[in-house]
Amino acid sequence: RRCGSRAGRRERYAAAMATSAPPITAKGVTFLVLLALQFGLQPLLTRGFVGTAAKSSIVLMTEASKFVAAGFMLLVGGEAHNALKGWTVSNSARTAGLPAMIYAVQNLLLQLAMANMDGLSFNLINQTKTVFSAVCLYFVMGRRQSGPQIIALGGLVLASVLMLVSADSDKPSSAATFSITLGALPCLLAALLSGLATALCQKSLQGLNRNSLLFSMELAVFSSVTLVGSLLFSADGTRLWQQGFFSGWNPSTFIPIASSATGGILVGLVTKYAGGVRKGFAILGGILLGAFAQAVVLDMPVPNLLPLPIVLASAWVHIRNPVSRNGCFGVYARWKAAG
């Protein structure tokens, strides 16, 4: 029978190995490095140039800038015709609208959690979103992690713990409350939703081969619609209505906006060419870079150096050890195909 033939075994092995993530390319590594740099420098730019501008006006202008920049890159790169071929509003809502709404709910949960738990506990629980990304990718796309990659994820969590515990030890103790129901659970659910949204974005970009620039434009539109709706019930919305959209702005306000918009485009490129799980390594590396930058520029305490080699080593292990024919899952897949 064909299912027992050599050709049949090859087909079953190929189907099994299709669940592994594609190998990362030089382009993917480049986007990871650029995202880490942008993420690390963004806090300095925000602190130095945002001033008293309303947060919602900054976010809306960032989304508009991301839409324009991605559209310009799409036209200049000659990708617009192919990217828009077969495009429909309903398809866009399914692929980009759902992740945008999930991110909106995630932000509400994060706001609730931050108000009901201390900063260290919040950050520690929030760092589980990379692990949730790996879990959600398995259920959404069937993407598995090899044994070394699972160890690398553990190294990422360890580096997060070391970094956050070190940062917390430098701060004065506070009487911050901790609520499991209103703090820990919403934070954990927000991390899970972040992983789910990341998996859905990766499915659109890799599984459905959606153009990353077009996807960034779609996310910008749906995110803006969601934010405008939330302004009807927020204090920020009242401020914008009373004082005007550009209240507290100055010409330098556009500097962090341009940086943040660039970061949004890079997130889409990283998700497409490197994957959502590896994005977590870039973000944590960016946090460490930002801590060093603030120590130099703002004369703040030098951060703990130990997490940096752990992050770099974990990222190298994760990139260099995908699920393969010689890996644990590869052996298992060949055994199942032979049986």
Side-chain angles (χ1 to χ4, degrees):
R1 293 183 301 171
R2 181 173 178 78
C3 62
S5 67
R6 179 176 298 178
R9 290 195 297 270
R10 282 200 301 267
E11 288 177 1
R12 284 181 294 175
Y13 174 72
M17 292 307 296
T19 60
S20 63
I24 189 170
T25 62
K27 182 184 292 187
V29 173
T30 301
F31 290 139
L32 281 171
V33 173
L34 291 176
L35 179 61
L37 290 172
Q38 184 277 327
F39 198 87
L41 296 177
Q42 185 65 39
L44 278 177
L45 298 176
T46 300
R47 177 178 295 189
F49 299 109
V50 166
T52 59
K55 180 181 178 181
S56 297
S57 67
I58 296 293
V59 174
L60 283 173
M61 185 58 72
T62 298
E63 296 298 337
S65 301
K66 182 169 66 175
F67 180 89
V68 172
F72 177 77
M73 294 170 64
L74 200 62
L75 290 173
V76 171
E79 303 175 30
H81 178 73
N82 290 332
L84 293 173
K85 187 181 297 183
W87 185 91
T88 62
V89 174
S90 59
N91 181 260
S92 177
R94 284 194 302 270
T95 55
L98 181 57
M101 288 189 290
I102 292 175
Y103 280 130
V105 174
Q106 175 207 358
N107 288 331
L108 292 175
L109 290 171
L110 289 176
Q111 294 296 325
L112 175 63
M114 283 189 289
N116 291 280
M117 61 192 305
D118 61 278
L120 176 63
S121 300
F122 171 82
N123 285 314
L124 288 176
I125 295 176
N126 192 40
Q127 289 305 314
T128 60
K129 59 188 177 184
T130 302
V131 177
F132 279 125
S133 295
V135 174
C136 291
L137 276 171
Y138 173 76
F139 287 104
V140 173
M141 297 184 68
R143 292 284 169 84
R144 303 169 185 264
Q145 303 289 310
S146 66
Q149 286 181 324
I150 293 174
I151 295 174
L153 289 175
L156 184 67
V157 174
L158 174 61
S160 303
V161 172
L162 291 174
M163 180 179 64
L164 294 169
V165 169
S166 174
D168 188 70
S169 64
D170 294 332
K171 298 177 182 178
S173 59
S174 63
T177 58
F178 181 87
S179 170
I180 294 179
T181 304
L182 298 177
L185 289 180
C187 188
L188 192 64
L189 181 57
L192 173 60
L193 289 178
S194 176
L196 176 59
T198 296
L200 292 175
C201 290
Q202 186 165 334
K203 180 180 180 181
S204 297
L205 291 167
Q206 292 185 350
L208 303 178
N209 199 29
R210 201 168 191 83
N211 184 283
S212 61
L213 295 174
L214 174 62
F215 190 72
S216 293
M217 295 173 67
E218 292 171 319
L219 276 181
V221 170
F222 288 110
S223 297
S224 298
V225 171
T226 303
L227 178 58
V228 169
S230 69
L231 288 178
L232 300 175
F233 311 98
S234 68
D236 236 18
T238 303
R239 176 187 171 181
L240 293 181
W241 177 260
Q242 294 176 346
Q243 301 180 12
F245 185 87
F246 295 102
S247 173
W249 282 55
N250 57 68
S252 62
T253 305
F254 287 94
I255 296 176
I257 288 175
S259 172
S260 185
T262 301
I265 295 174
L266 284 172
V267 166
L269 292 169
V270 164
T271 303
K272 183 175 182 65
Y273 294 104
V277 174
R278 289 167 182 152
K279 181 185 71 176
F281 290 94
I283 289 176
L284 186 56
I287 293 174
L288 288 168
L289 174 64
F292 284 111
Q294 292 184 66
V296 173
V297 177
L298 303 177
D299 197 25
M300 297 177 65
V302 177
N304 182 12
L305 297 175
L306 183 58
L308 181 59
I310 296 177
V311 172
L312 294 176
S314 298
W316 184 85
V317 169
H318 197 279
I319 290 173
R320 297 290 295 176
N321 294 274
V323 175
S324 65
R325 183 179 178 86
N326 296 321
C328 295
F329 176 66
V331 173
Y332 173 76
R334 291 199 307 275
W335 175 74
K336 288 291 289 183

